[in-house]
Each structure stands twice: as C-alpha cells, then as structure tokens.
Amino acid sequence: MKPIETARLRLRRWQDADRAPFAAMSADPVVMEFFPAPLDAKQANAFIDRLERHWDARGYSNFALEERETGAFVGLTGLLDVFPEAPFAPSVEIGWRLARPFWGKGYAREAAEAVLAAGFAEHDFPEIVAFTAKPNLRSAALMQRLGMTRDPADDFDHPAVAEGHPLRPHVLYRISREDLEGG
C-alpha cells in the first residue's frame, strides 16, 4: 500500500525514529490493557521488524502514524494477515494502537477509514476483519463506527492467550468491499 495522508495524519512506513516512541507506547500498561502484557524495548523493536518484513513480503502492513501538523508519532494502523491458527484464516485484519496523548481525538477512526478504503482499492480482499478481547469495548465500538458487523457465532478464544485468562475470549468483526462502498 502507498503512504496515505488524511486531514490530520500521515500514514507511512516505519523509520528508525519511530522505535523509541513505539517502545514507550507499547510499554504503557494503559495502552496495552487488552494485550496479555506490555512489550519491552526489545519486543517492540522485534514487532516493528516483523511489520517491515510483512510490508516487503505482502505489500501491506501496519503504518506508522504521525500527526501532520507536529510530526509527532501517534501510533499504528494498518493491515496484516491473520495468524494461521485463527478460525477465520486466511484473512486480512485491520488493527490500531495509539499512544495515550492521542486518544479521544478521532485519530483511530480517521486512520482506519483511510486504511480500509486504500486496502480495498489496492488489493483484491473480499473482506477485512478486526478482532479484540471481549472486554475492549472502546475498540469494538470503533469497529461498529467503521461499519463492521459482528456475528457472535464467529467469536473465538485467542490461541496465543492462556486458557482461563480474561483476555482469551475475542470478538470478531467483518466488513466487505460492498459494505464499505454502501452497496
């Protein structure tokens, strides 16, 4: 996917300057509340490296987000192939994670809408999915605002989260090209 500019954001490939703010965001226990654990700097760097390998192999991945006005690192939004053990694999997922100072500004929705539009325009995806831990009501609400729909029969236990962990149950949302285009 090509870089994207929205009214307030720049969505682009990762740069070395993104590593420190991404590590800080990923170490924040509030940002990582619905993940099994925060990431340390080594894990955060490995995550960026995986994203960049996905870009090279597939032509899409999670973009680094920056505020156009200030150049500040905001977070990430983009598309990834879902993990092979997912009951809905193969599929492509949209995801987002923003640093706390940028919450409540509509940035996640602005970036996600741009990624969905570009993803369907540049690739032949029949649908794009999104999923989150069941308690993550803010993320599920964004999925709904994006026009994504949920069938509770599609909800699943995330295989990478331990049995009995409160974040193991996940909800799954979907959107098709036709849904996005209103037809």
Side-chain angles (χ1 to χ4, degrees), residues 136-151:
N136 189 350
L137 302 179
R138 289 187 316 267
S139 197
L142 176 54
M143 294 170 196
Q144 292 167 21
R145 287 192 303 276
L146 292 169
M148 302 183 92
T149 57
R150 174 181 170 228
D151 178 346

Side-chain angles (χ1 to χ4, degrees), residues 3-166:
I4 300 170
E5 289 206 2
T6 67
R8 301 177 295 162
L9 299 170
R10 185 171 292 114
L11 290 73
R12 56 165 174 73
R13 295 274 304 253
W14 294 82
Q15 301 169 357
D16 282 341
D18 300 324
R19 290 181 181 273
F22 179 75
M25 176 184 77
S26 298
D28 182 335
V30 177
V31 170
M32 301 299 284
E33 176 183 8
F34 298 108
F35 291 86
L39 303 179
D40 63 26
K42 184 176 178 181
Q43 292 167 319
N45 278 324
F47 187 82
I48 290 174
D49 293 342
R50 280 194 307 276
L51 295 178
E52 281 298 298
R53 285 192 302 275
H54 195 279
W55 272 111
D56 294 338
R58 305 291 287 153
Y60 55 89
S61 186
N62 278 304
F63 289 101
L65 301 180
E66 73 178 35
E67 212 171 30
R68 285 179 61 181
E69 187 176 311
T70 66
F73 176 85
V74 171
L76 66 80
T77 305
L79 302 174
L80 289 173
D81 295 338
V82 300
F83 54 98
E85 305 82 12
F88 44 90
S91 193
V92 173
E93 70 162 306
I94 185 169
W96 46 81
R97 185 182 320 162
L98 274 62
R100 262 196 292 167
F102 302 100
W103 290 11
K105 297 177 183 248
Y107 284 170
R109 182 175 184 173
E110 184 175 326
E113 286 175 343
V115 165
L116 286 171
F120 282 124
E122 296 179 32
H123 299 276
D124 193 27
F125 303 134
E127 71 175 4
I128 295 173
V129 301
F131 53 88
T132 190
K134 221 172 235 186
N136 189 350
L137 302 179
R138 289 187 316 267
S139 197
L142 176 54
M143 294 170 196
Q144 292 167 21
R145 287 192 303 276
L146 292 169
M148 302 183 92
T149 57
R150 174 181 170 228
D151 178 346
D154 290 336
D155 293 352
F156 66 101
D157 286 340
H158 200 299
V161 181
E163 287 272 347
H165 194 287

